[in-house]
Amino acid sequence: MDNKTLQALLDAAAPLIELAVAEDIGPGDATSTSTLDPRAPLHGRITAKERGVIAGLPVVEAVFRRVDPAIAFTPHVADGQEVVPGELVAEVVGPGPSLLAAERTALNFLQRMSGIATATRSYASAVSTTDATILDTRKTLPGYRALDKYAVRMGGGMNHRIALFDMLMVKDNHVDGAGSLLLAVERARAQHPDLPIEVEVRDLDELRQALAIEPPLDRILLDNMSLDMMREAVAIAAGRTPLEASGNVTRARLKAIAETGVDFISAGALTHSVKALDLSMKIQPVDKAAKMDPATRVRAVKSALGDRLVILGHHYQREDVIAFADYRGDSLELARRAAQTDAEFIVFCGVHFMAEVAAILAKLGQRVLIPDIDAGCFLAETASEHLVAEAWSILDAALATNGSSADAEITPITYVNSDAELKAFCGRHNGTVCTSGNADKVLKWALSQRPRVFFFPDQHLGRNTAHKLGIVGDEMLLWNVRRPPSAEAIHTAKIILWPGVCNVHQRFRPEHIQKMRERYPGIRVIVHPECKAELVALADDGGSTSHILKQVEAAPAGTQWAIGTESRLVHRLQAEHPDQLILSLADVPPFCPNMSQITLSNLAEIMDALARGELLNEVTVEPETRHWAKIALERMLAL
Ligand code: 13P
Ligand code: SF4
C-alpha cells in the first residue's frame, strides 16, 4: 500500500477510533487495571477462527497505539491476504491492562473490515472467469465510508463513486423529477462538465435513449433487470458504453449476472449486510509464549532429524514458512529436487499437486508430508480424469471419421497443476506433463510426436505457449464441456485447450498494465503465463515464478518492475531488492488462498508429530496411477 492510501485510511479512522475508545474504555477498564500488573508485559496473539480476508491492520495498530504508545504491534499478514482458521494475524506485546483495554475496539474494527473484504473476495471469485468487476455502493455504515470502501478494495472489488460529489449519477428519481432522461443529463452535464456521468435505466427503451446521448455516457446502470433483459442490453449497447448491473445482486445470482456480459456489478450487501470475520486475541506471559513459538518447535525438530528430512518450499509460500525450506523453487525445480533427494521425509510446503509429484517420484521408503492435506489448487480442480477421458473419446470419434484415432493424432499434455490421475492419463496415452518453466519445450516435443495436442487444464498457459510457437487463431480450439465442438472444428485444430483458469492470475487485466505505464513510464511489466493472452501480449516479459525471480535478481539498481503473479513472491522480491522499485501489477494484491493454507503452525504440527515418530498428512498415490503418472513425469524431466 502506498503512503498516500495509508494516510487517507488513518485520517478517516482517527475520529472513529476516538469515539470507539471513549465509548468502550471511557474513564478506564475497571477489570484489567484491578487484576493485572502493569509492570509485567504480556504477549497477545490475534488469530483467525475462520477462513477469510484480512483488512484493517493499520487501523488496529492505531487503536493499540492510541490506548498505549508502549504497545508493540507486529502484523503477520498483509491487508488483502486470505487467512485460514488458527492462523496468526498479528502479535502485540505491552502492559497487560493496556492490551486488554484495547482488545475489543481493535477487534471490532478488524472484524468488520475483514468481513467486508471476505464477502467481496467471495463475490470477486465468483465472477473471476468473466470480465465483470465487482463494485460497492454508498450503502455503508454512516461515518465509516472510507473504511468500508478500503475493505472492499482489499477484497478485490472496485470502488464506485465515493459520495455524491465525485460523480454524476442520474437515477430514476432524477429522471422523474426532471421530466425526462435527456433533460436530466443535459442539466447535470451543464453544471458539472468535468464529472463522470452514469445514468440508471429501467428498461430497454430507456437504455436506447441513454445510448443515443452524445457524447456517450461514462456508464449505464441496468436497474433490477432479469438475466434475459441484461443479455439483450449487452447486445444493444455493443460496447458503446460500459454497463453496470444493480439490484437483486445475491451471491447465488452473481455468476449468471456476470455471464450476461455486463462490465460491472454493484452490490450493496457487501457493506450493508456485513458479517464480521471471526477473530480472537489470546494473552500469555511473554516467556511462556516464547516456548510455544511454532518457529522454535520447527527449528528443534529440523535440527534433530538432520539429513533425514528435507523441506521443499514453493515461491508463493509465506515468509515464516519459506524461511525453513532447504530448497525453494518453482514447480519444475521442486519436482527435480524431489526426484534427487535421498531424505527419508520430504515435507512439501506448497499445494497438494506439488506434494503428489514428490510422492510419485519418491524412492522406495521415502515419505512425503504436507502441512495441510486440503491445500488444493483452484486451477487443478477445473479438470478431472473423468471429464478429460470423456473429451478424449469425443476426439477419438471425430478423428475416426478420417480413419484415424485420438491416440494416433493427439499428444495429451497436462500442466503440472493437475491431479495424479490426469498425469497418469498422459502417461497411458504417450503424453507428458509440463510446468510453466518448460511449457514451450514440451509443446514443441509434443507436436514433433503427433500433429495435435490436447492441453489441460490451464487454457491460458496453453494459449500463451502456442502463441510463442507461432500457433494462432483457428488452429486453437477451446473445449466446451457442455457443448463439445464439431468434428470439422476438431479436424482443423492443432491445439485443443481445456477451459481451466487460475483465479489468482485471472485477476490481472490489461488496464492494470496501462495504468502502471502511465504512472511509471519505463517500468518493466513481467507476468506469469497463467495470465490471459491479451495481458501477456502487452507485457514486456513472461515466465514461471523462477523466471520472474531471475529477471529481477539480474536487473541493476533503479530498475522498475510491475509483476503479475502471486503477492508473496512480489513482497519477497521487494524485501530482497530495496534498490529496485517492485510493484504488484494489480491494485489489490492477489494472494493464492490455497498456498495460504500452509502456515507456520500447521508446519509445526507435522514436525511435532515427526518428532513423536508419527506421520501426519502423508501424501500417497495409488500404485497403478503412480506408475503411469511417473512415466509421464519422467518423460518431461528427460526433455
Ligand atoms: P510455477 O511453476 O511458475 O512455480 O507456478 C506454479 C503455480 O501454481 C503458479 O500459479
Ligand atoms: Fe493454483 Fe493459481 Fe494458486 Fe497457482 S496460484 S496454486 S495455479 S490457484
Side-chain angles (χ1 to χ4, degrees):
M1 188 188 331
D2 60 40
N3 289 341
K4 221 169 118 208
T5 313
L6 177 66
Q7 202 47 56
L9 174 69
L10 293 175
D11 290 347
L16 303 172
I17 294 175
E18 284 311 315
L19 269 176
V21 166
E23 154 187 278
D24 201 38
I25 305 177
D29 172 359
T31 322
S32 304
T33 46
S34 55
T35 52
L36 301 174
D37 177 357
R39 286 157 310 170
L42 291 182
H43 175 271
R45 286 167 61 88
I46 298 177
T47 52
K49 295 179 79 182
E50 62 179 331
R51 214 185 162 113
V53 178
I54 294 296
L57 287 168
V59 180
V60 172
E61 180 169 11
V63 170
F64 281 112
R65 291 222 189 290
R66 163 65 184 80
V67 172
D68 188 342
I71 296 175
F73 177 84
T74 313
H76 283 268
V77 297
D79 275 0
Q81 192 169 333
E82 275 116 353
V83 289
V84 292
E87 183 166 350
L88 180 62
V89 174
E91 285 175 291
V92 275
V93 177
S98 308
L99 289 187
L100 289 183
E103 174 197 0
R104 188 68 269 146
T105 300
L107 288 182
N108 284 350
F109 277 107
L110 191 60
Q111 289 188 261
R112 178 182 166 83
M113 293 177 76
S114 302
I116 294 173
T118 302
T120 310
R121 183 66 51 87
S122 138
Y123 276 44
S125 300
V127 303
S128 67
T129 52
T130 71
D131 285 332
T133 299
I134 298 295
L135 295 176
D136 53 20
T137 64
R138 281 164 47 239
K139 293 174 184 163
T140 51
L141 187 66
Y144 279 67
R145 176 74 50 85
L147 276 64
D148 283 6
K149 286 199 171 249
Y150 167 87
V152 165
R153 293 201 302 277
M154 290 303 110
M158 201 174 115
N159 292 148
H160 207 305
R161 63 175 169 169
I162 301 299
L164 296 172
F165 50 76
D166 62 329
M167 183 180 189
L168 294 165
M169 211 166 157
V170 178
K171 297 197 173 189
D172 52 354
N173 283 336
H174 301 108
V175 173
D176 294 344
S180 88
L181 194 150
L182 206 59
L183 197 58
V185 170
E186 272 172 14
R187 285 181 182 163
R189 273 187 159 161
Q191 291 216 18
H192 302 283
D194 296 332
L195 287 184
I197 180 163
E198 175 165 16
V199 169
E200 176 179 295
V201 299
R202 291 163 280 196
D203 53 41
L204 299 179
D205 275 347
E206 281 190 350
L207 172 69
R208 287 190 186 92
Q209 285 178 49
L211 285 168
I213 293 173
E214 284 296 346
L217 300 164
D218 294 288
R219 201 185 292 165
I220 296 175
L221 185 145
L222 309 177
D223 184 34
N224 251 316
M225 290 190 182
S226 68
L227 293 176
D228 282 342
M229 205 189 269
M230 280 189 239
R231 267 188 283 273
E232 230 180 306
V234 170
I236 295 171
R240 175 175 160 89
T241 303
L243 299 181
E244 171 185 338
S246 184
N248 193 16
V249 173
T250 58
R251 177 69 176 73
R253 281 184 85 226
L254 209 53
K255 190 152 191 270
I257 296 176
E259 283 170 350
T260 63
V262 293
D263 306 278
F264 298 97
I265 303 173
S266 53
L270 295 177
T271 50
H272 74 50
S273 304
V274 180
K275 183 187 164 292
L277 186 71
D278 198 1
L279 300 159
S280 73
M281 183 170 116
K282 284 271 169 272
I283 297 284
Q284 277 186 330
V286 171
D287 52 345
K288 194 162 171 219
K291 250 190 252 147
M292 305 255 307
D293 175 33
T296 315
R297 284 150 55 203
V298 175
R299 213 170 289 121
V301 183
K302 198 165 186 274
S303 88
L305 289 174
D307 291 347
R308 292 177 64 203
L309 167 81
V310 69
I311 301 183
L312 303 180
H314 186 265
H315 291 310
Y316 293 166
Q317 288 294 294
R318 48 184 89 235
E319 218 45 59
D320 53 1
V321 169
I322 206 82
F324 288 104
D326 296 297
Y327 300 104
R328 56 176 85 170
D330 64 9
S331 48
L332 180 61
E333 289 162 341
L334 294 176
R336 290 217 159 98
R337 286 286 173 200
Q340 284 159 2
T341 181
D342 288 322
E344 189 180 338
F345 307 112
I346 303 172
V347 169
F348 211 114
C349 297
V351 287
H352 192 265
F353 74 80
M354 296 180 175
E356 224 175 33
V357 167
I360 293 164
L361 298 172
K363 303 182 182 86
L364 200 67
Q366 279 184 315
R367 316 295 284 264
V368 178
L369 309 167
I370 184 166
D372 183 346
I373 199 93
D374 295 323
C377 162
F378 178 89
L379 169 58
E381 282 156 22
T382 60
S384 66
E385 204 251 345
H386 159 72
L387 288 175
V388 167
E390 214 168 85
W392 189 258
S393 40
I394 295 170
L395 292 169
D396 198 41
L399 295 169
T401 57
N402 278 3
S404 190
S405 70
D407 278 284
E409 293 227 1
I410 309 177
T411 309
I413 304 179
T414 186
Y415 184 28
V416 68
N417 297 41
S418 56
D419 285 347
E421 286 75 18
L422 284 173
K423 297 184 176 86
F425 180 92
C426 290
R428 281 192 197 97
H429 294 276
N430 298 308
T432 186
V433 181
C434 78
T435 73
S436 57
N438 63 9
D440 32 0
K441 203 198 272 182
V442 172
L443 190 58
K444 256 188 228 155
W445 169 84
L447 288 169
S448 74
Q449 304 296 301
R450 280 164 219 95
R452 296 169 222 285
V453 162
F454 187 17
F455 191 99
F456 36 85
D458 187 15
Q459 57 165 297
H460 298 312
L461 178 67
R463 193 175 291 113
N464 287 322
T465 314
H467 283 168
K468 269 193 181 173
L469 303 191
I471 303 167
V472 284
D474 285 354
E475 291 180 309
M476 265 185 283
L477 175 64
L478 185 62
W479 195 260
N480 183 329
V481 179
R482 267 176 269 159
R483 258 175 295 118
S486 64
E488 295 77 64
I490 292 171
H491 288 149
T492 32
K494 204 163 180 180
I495 311 279
I496 299 145
L497 299 170
W498 190 257
V501 295
C502 157
N503 60 353
V504 177
H505 290 90
Q506 180 96 354
R507 281 192 226 155
F508 298 104
R509 292 163 180 259
E511 54 271 27
H512 291 144
I513 300 191
Q514 235 168 312
K515 267 199 228 154
M516 274 293 172
R517 289 195 172 133
E518 275 162 25
R519 204 151 164 219
Y520 304 96
I523 197 163
R524 283 192 64 72
V525 178
I526 185 164
V527 300
H528 194 279
E530 283 173 20
C531 296
K532 289 180 180 171
E534 55 262 42
L535 198 96
V536 174
L538 280 176
D540 298 299
D541 192 5
S544 75
T545 51
S546 285
H547 175 80
I548 294 173
L549 199 110
K550 283 174 196 149
Q551 299 312 302
V552 175
E553 274 167 2
T559 311
Q560 301 184 335
W561 294 98
I563 302 183
T565 194
E566 210 268 355
S567 284
R568 268 172 289 247
L569 175 59
V570 179
H571 290 170
R572 187 166 310 124
L573 287 170
Q574 283 167 343
E576 288 171 358
H577 302 277
D579 55 344
Q580 302 188 39
L581 177 72
I582 297 170
L583 302 168
S584 171
L585 181 58
D587 22 26
V588 177
F591 290 97
C592 169
N594 309 294
M595 290 279 178
S596 301
Q597 282 181 237
I598 310 300
T599 63
L600 186 57
S601 37
N602 53 31
L603 173 62
E605 274 168 36
I606 62 164
M607 297 291 272
D608 286 345
L610 269 182
R612 296 192 301 270
E614 289 168 30
L615 295 177
L616 200 66
N617 296 345
E618 182 173 9
V619 178
T620 54
V621 179
E622 175 273 313
E624 171 79 3
T625 305
R626 181 168 180 232
H627 168 79
W628 288 109
K630 195 169 179 189
I631 289 177
L633 277 165
E634 284 176 348
R635 234 173 241 146
M636 169 187 91
L637 292 173
L639 284 176

